[in-house]
Structure formats: C-alpha cells, structure tokens
Amino acid sequence: MRKRIRAALPALAGAVALTGTVLSSPAEAAGGVTIHRVYFDSPGKDTRTNTSLNGEWVQIRNTGASAVSLKGWVLKDPDNHKYTFPNIKIGAGKYLKVRTGSGTDTSATKYQNRRAYVWNNTSDTATLLRASGTKADSCSWTTRDASDKYC
C-alpha cells in the first residue's frame, strides 16, 4: 500500500502543477456533488410571498471532472421536507440552486414549489442524499451564522 501512495504523490503533484488547483476537502479530492452554500434566511421580512420563499435556497456544486445525474437524489431537512431531483445532470464544476418557492426550472435553478419556508433561521441541517439513499453531503448552521452559510 505504501508503494501505491508513493507512486500516486508525484502524479498528484503534477496535476496540481498543471491545473493550479489544490483540492481542499475529501469530497473535492474524491470528486462529487456537495452542498456549497445555503441561504436560509431570505432578505427582509418572512412574508411567505413567492419572492420571499425564493430568497431561501441551497446551492450544490459538482466538484468532479464529469457530469453527474441527479435523478432521484434528495435534498432534505431534519423535519423530512424533501425535494427529489428530476432527471437532470449537473455538469463538471457547475453549480445548481434549489429555491423553496415556485418558478420555471432551468439548468442552473430548480424550484421546490412550496408555499412555506423549509430552512429554519435559528438552526437547521440540509442533507443531500444520492438516489441510493446514501448521504452525499450535509451542511448545518446556527444563529451565530448571518443569513447564509458556505459549507
């Protein structure tokens, strides 16, 4: 096993030299879909208007080198509010926002079509599950965070 690690280190160093990219987390090193940022407290008063509902969102990121199908993946909170992704792909290095309210889905933004907030302002956890049900990532926050959290 040590020989494999020694052999891989020069290749990794070469990749960093070529791309200028340093992988800073295990998820990035492995490549995959992660929760990048959560905007859990929409700007202004919580009026439950569609604009206010869409002011809260979760942004996911594909840190891998190839597109990933999100069909059947789930974004959820501890109260089991779930958003199941349709048959879409997230490109390599791309971001995707999932907004709480209603709107027209695009390749960069999906809408949960809810009429109530999902993410608690005081503390909560967003969890991203693969279609198989295994956890891909999660992000938690508390009142010490402003209105959003980079994960």
Side-chain angles (χ1 to χ4, degrees):
M1 177 136 181
R2 286 186 180 174
K3 287 182 182 180
R4 287 186 201 163
I5 292 171
R6 284 189 202 135
L9 287 176
L12 179 59
V16 169
L18 287 174
T19 65
T21 302
V22 176
L23 301 175
S24 60
S25 74
E28 286 179 316
V33 180
T34 63
I35 297 173
H36 177 69
R37 184 178 180 193
V38 180
Y39 207 107
F40 54 86
D41 186 5
S42 61
K45 292 184 176 186
D46 289 345
T47 59
R48 291 180 99 175
T49 64
N50 194 51
T51 300
S52 182
L53 290 168
N54 282 328
E56 70 170 27
W57 43 262
V58 175
Q59 184 179 48
I60 63 171
R61 177 181 177 200
N62 180 356
T63 62
S66 58
V68 174
S69 172
L70 297 178
K71 182 179 181 181
W73 285 47
V74 173
L75 178 65
K76 68 184 225 73
D77 72 347
D79 292 327
N80 219 25
H81 296 105
K82 293 180 180 180
Y83 172 76
T84 302
F85 287 87
N87 187 14
I88 59 161
K89 287 186 178 183
I90 183 170
K94 299 293 183 184
Y95 295 84
L96 175 71
K97 279 186 184 175
V98 179
R99 296 185 180 270
T100 299
S102 297
T104 302
D105 286 348
T106 68
S107 61
T109 305
K110 299 298 175 196
Y111 294 87
Q112 295 190 51
N113 297 314
R114 294 185 180 274
R115 295 184 180 165
Y117 300 98
V118 172
W119 311 110
N120 296 328
N121 296 348
T122 53
S123 67
D124 212 340
T125 300
T127 301
L128 184 63
L129 303 172
R130 294 177 186 88
S132 65
T134 60
K135 183 169 118 177
D137 199 15
S138 66
C139 180
S140 298
W141 57 91
T142 65
T143 54
R144 73 178 177 272
D145 298 307
S147 56
D148 67 318
K149 169 88 182 237
Y150 283 93
C151 307

